[in-house]
Structure formats: structure tokens, C-alpha cells
Amino acid sequence: MKNQRIKRTALLLLLASLFPFASCNKEYINPSTASVPSVTTSADALMTLCAGLQRRFTIGRQSPLYCAPIGGAYSVYALYTLNIGNTTEKELETGKGAITLNNSVITQMWTQCLLTRVEAETVLNNLDVAVEPGDRVGLKAYGSIFYALSMGTLVQFYEQIPLVTEDNAAFSPRAEALKKAIALLESVDADLAATAPSTKFLGKVPAGIDVKNTVKALLARYYNIQSMIAGTYDAASGNKAITFAAAASRLVKSEFRFSTATTNPLGEWNFTKNVFGAIDSTLGLRNGLAPVPAASDPRVGFYIDSTGPTTYPLKAFALNTTASYPVYLPGEMDLIAAENYARQNMFPQAKTALDVVRTKNKATDIYGIGAAQPAYSGPMTQAALLTDIYKQRRLELFLSGQELEDSRRFGRPGPNQPGEERNRNFYPYPLIERDNNPSTPSDPAI
């Protein structure tokens, strides 16, 4: 039976991706479920697989696009479960030891990200079947983007990750997973400088993602995480983050788009199912970080509504079932620059980048996210600047899925510490992995 473990694990992963929420969600035909031999023989077949990659990552309550944003927000006390019958979400809200190993979000984020990675690797390992350079670079870009998104998501929630698909796969530190994702993005970034994806390729995948700018934005995001992943600041990674953040356009939208047939999972469970809302009028900001009054920062009103004294349904990118969801926000890029300048004690440059976000109005932001705050006037010290940068990230990037990583990276109070601001440090490994892979590490305490 041990020799069959990997086959059994793969089957369980597939079944887990299909059935837990079947009673609540429509089933969608995913073209990426075709057998590997059938999708590696032609560029057209790989393009179809790329479309499937996006569907796997974004469609349904099991998708990483649902699991990561709500997991991140619940982890920093930003969301509230409106119906405690939704056990999965209530566990995330409580956090700490309340999160069980078969929690659906924990399980689905893990399995769907790993399945996305496997499918992305299938694309990347078979690029030679594409004869036309524009077809090949489009395939490479999409494969790299979704490889990076899947691994970049897991890196923010789990301490270790298996990097190969095999029986009893060994786990690697999350820094190694991030390094591999960055390497793929760096490679395709160089290719895109010389060759654009073909019109044929772009017509085969869902509209909305600007490939060239997405690669640069993800490199900025993941170099930013890498700069502090060891616990001490690495200026080389930080400078890379600054460079790529500057190169990502603030004037081009790159987003996941939805329709009545392929719905936004956050919008569906906010608008249709009414499962969760913001925990309060300040997006859960604690320890003096909340804007006073909350309405003085228009980003609060951009992201949430108020339908009662304690009820704050979500708006913006979770407004309804067809709302688009950005792959990255312009404000994220400026805050990445501000953070890394601050960590290098380049305080005037940090303030300049920070003020771009603090003072912008909705008319100049492509998504209409205005802050309309005065320029930073606090102490020109690393600690003070980083505190405000963290606050701006929480307000600017609400429901982005980056909240837990941000809380750790900025050294905010952890679970069971005075003034705690997060209810976990890392998630436990799902039971489906532990039951089928004896190499699974021990779970973090909280």
C-alpha cells in the first residue's frame, strides 16, 4: 500500500477540490483536468491549460482567491462571522487552537495551491511544443505567474512546503519556495522585455491580466517578503523590491474578472451567502492604528458598508458576484518602496513614497481608492515610519491575503502577547497531507 500512497494522495487532493462545497457552489468544467499527455502535445492545449490555471486559482469557495483573503483578514481580527453555523470561518475568526486540521479553508488553500503549482509546472516543462516565440513567452509568463501566486500564497500561511510532487515528498523551508518562485518570475521578466505574448495566446486565456506588469508587481511583492523572511533585513532583496515596484505600472489594471457564470468567490459569499463582514468600522485595526474617526479615511468606506450599528458588509472587490479582483494595487507598490527605504534608514525617500499613498485621491487611483490624508508628519525614525507604513498597508490592501505575512514582518504583537493583533503565526498542515505524507512536519504551536 505504501507504494500506492502518492496515487492515493493525488486522488484525495482531486476529490477534495471537487466535493466539499458542491452543495453550495456551481460546478465548473475545468479544462486543466485533462490528462497530462493530452495537454503537452501542442501549444493550443497548453493555452487551454493556462485558462484552467486561472479558473482553479480564482473560481469557487475552494479557490486560493477565496481562502487566502479571508484567511489573512481573519488572522488579524479584521473579519467577523455573521452566522456561527459557518464553522470553517468561525474557527478562523477564533484562531489559535480552535483551527482544526480538517478546516476547509486550511485544506483547500493547501491542496488547490499545490494543484495549481503542478499544472503550472506542466506548462513550464513543455514550452518546447510552442513554435512561435509569442506563444512560448505567453505560456511561460502564465505558468510563472500562477506558479508564483500558488507558492507565494502558501509561503504566507505555512512554515514549510513540499517543492516536488512525489511519494512522501520532503518539505522545504518557505524561503526556498519563495526563492524558486522569484527565479521563475525573473526569467520570464527578461523574456518579456524582448517578446510580447502573441495575440493568439491572449485570446485563449481570460481577459484582465496584464502579464508584463503583473510579473514585475509579483517580483516586488515577493522580494519584499524575502527581504525579511530570515528575520533580519536583507538589503539586496529590499533593493530588488524597490526596483520592481517602480517598474510596475500604476496606470494599468491587472485583475481577475468574473461573470454570472464564473463568479467572484468573495463576492458570492459576502453578497449572496452573507457569511462574513468587517469586524468593526476600522477594519479591525488595534493599538492606536485605527483612523479617528474611521470615516476620516475614505478607504474604510471604499472597502466596507454599514447596515447597522455592528454590521459592516464588504464592498469594493467583494461587492458582488461579478466584481473584479486586482492582482496587485498601485498603492501596494508605493508602500513596498516606502517599507524598504525605511528599513535602510533612507527616511526622506521612505516619506516620499509613503506620502504618495497617504495623500492620493480617488480620481488619480485606477481603482478609485483614495486616502486623502495629510502628508506624514510623525518622527523620522525607522520604528515610527514602519508603524505608519503597516497601518497604510492594512487600510490600502484590505482583503488582499497579505495581512498575516505583514503582521509577522512588521513585528506586530502575536497571539497571546500583550495587545495581540493576530490569532496565529502560521497555519497547521491539513489532515489530508498529514494522513498521506509521513514527511509532514510537526504543526506550529499557534
Side-chain angles (χ1 to χ4, degrees), residues 128-192:
D128 288 346
V129 303
V131 176
E132 295 298 324
D135 292 349
R136 189 182 307 113
V137 78
L139 290 167
K140 185 176 179 180
Y142 241 67
S144 300
I145 286 169
F146 282 96
Y147 183 101
L149 284 171
S150 61
M151 289 296 95
T153 297
L154 293 181
V155 158
Q156 297 183 63
F157 290 91
Y158 299 93
E159 285 185 304
Q160 299 184 57
I161 303 162
L163 299 185
V164 294
T165 305
E166 62 183 18
D167 195 10
N168 301 336
F171 280 59
S172 297
R174 65 194 191 105
E176 294 301 311
L178 194 62
K179 184 186 297 184
K180 187 171 181 181
I182 286 172
L184 289 172
L185 291 170
E186 286 263 28
S187 177
V188 77
D189 182 61
D191 293 343
L192 288 166

Side-chain angles (χ1 to χ4, degrees), residues 155-156 174 404-411 422 425-426:
V155 158
Q156 297 183 63
R174 65 194 191 105
L404 181 56
E405 177 66 37
D406 284 358
S407 181
R408 288 193 308 263
R409 191 174 69 256
F410 282 86
R422 61 180 181 271
N425 288 321
F426 289 97

Side-chain angles (χ1 to χ4, degrees), residues 303-419:
Y303 280 112
I304 65 173
D305 200 354
S306 177
T307 57
T310 60
T311 308
Y312 305 96
L314 308 184
K315 294 168 56 181
F317 312 121
L319 176 63
N320 54 43
T321 59
T322 58
S324 296
Y325 186 96
V327 183
Y328 75 94
L329 289 174
E332 179 189 357
M333 298 298 105
D334 293 306
L335 291 170
I336 285 172
E339 177 181 344
N340 286 280
Y341 283 132
R343 293 191 190 280
Q344 296 181 41
N345 296 325
M346 301 171 69
F347 302 145
Q349 295 90 331
K351 172 178 160 50
T352 296
L354 175 58
D355 284 344
V356 169
V357 175
R358 287 181 60 99
T359 64
K360 69 184 173 73
N361 61 63
K362 65 180 183 179
T364 59
D365 185 281
I366 57 172
Y367 289 100
I369 305 173
Q373 302 300 298
Y376 177 78
S377 60
M380 294 293 276
T381 64
Q382 185 180 98
L385 282 162
L386 287 176
T387 296
D388 196 69
I389 291 165
Y390 174 75
K391 171 182 176 177
Q392 300 306 317
R393 285 184 66 91
R394 284 288 306 275
L395 290 162
E396 188 81 9
L397 307 179
F398 178 69
L399 214 66
S400 69
Q402 300 183 63
E403 293 88 350
L404 181 56
E405 177 66 37
D406 284 358
S407 181
R408 288 193 308 263
R409 191 174 69 256
F410 282 86
R412 304 304 301 177
N416 300 326
Q417 294 180 351

Side-chain angles (χ1 to χ4, degrees), residues 166-317:
E166 62 183 18
D167 195 10
N168 301 336
F171 280 59
S172 297
R174 65 194 191 105
E176 294 301 311
L178 194 62
K179 184 186 297 184
K180 187 171 181 181
I182 286 172
L184 289 172
L185 291 170
E186 286 263 28
S187 177
V188 77
D189 182 61
D191 293 343
L192 288 166
T195 307
S198 66
T199 301
K200 176 182 178 181
F201 174 81
L202 295 176
K204 288 274 193 175
V205 296
I209 294 181
D210 184 277
V211 169
K212 190 171 184 177
N213 283 295
T214 294
V215 167
K216 293 184 183 299
L218 293 181
L219 279 165
R221 179 183 298 171
Y222 297 140
Y223 267 123
N224 191 42
I225 294 174
Q226 182 173 273
S227 72
M228 285 294 291
I229 204 164
T232 55
Y233 184 65
D234 174 52
S237 295
N239 285 329
K240 285 275 196 177
I242 291 170
T243 298
F244 283 110
S249 175
R250 275 66 163 171
L251 303 176
V252 175
K253 287 186 176 182
S254 186
E255 58 190 10
F256 300 122
R257 296 176 183 171
F258 301 94
S259 68
T260 54
T262 54
T263 56
N264 177 327
L266 295 166
E268 182 172 353
W269 289 82
N270 168 58
F271 176 73
T272 305
K273 309 298 183 184
N274 199 32
V275 172
F276 44 70
I279 196 167
D280 59 28
S281 63
T282 67
L283 309 183
L285 283 162
R286 298 182 171 192
N287 297 325
L289 295 182
V292 181
S296 66
D297 193 312
R299 288 171 294 188
V300 173
F302 177 83
Y303 280 112
I304 65 173
D305 200 354
S306 177
T307 57
T310 60
T311 308
Y312 305 96
L314 308 184
K315 294 168 56 181
F317 312 121

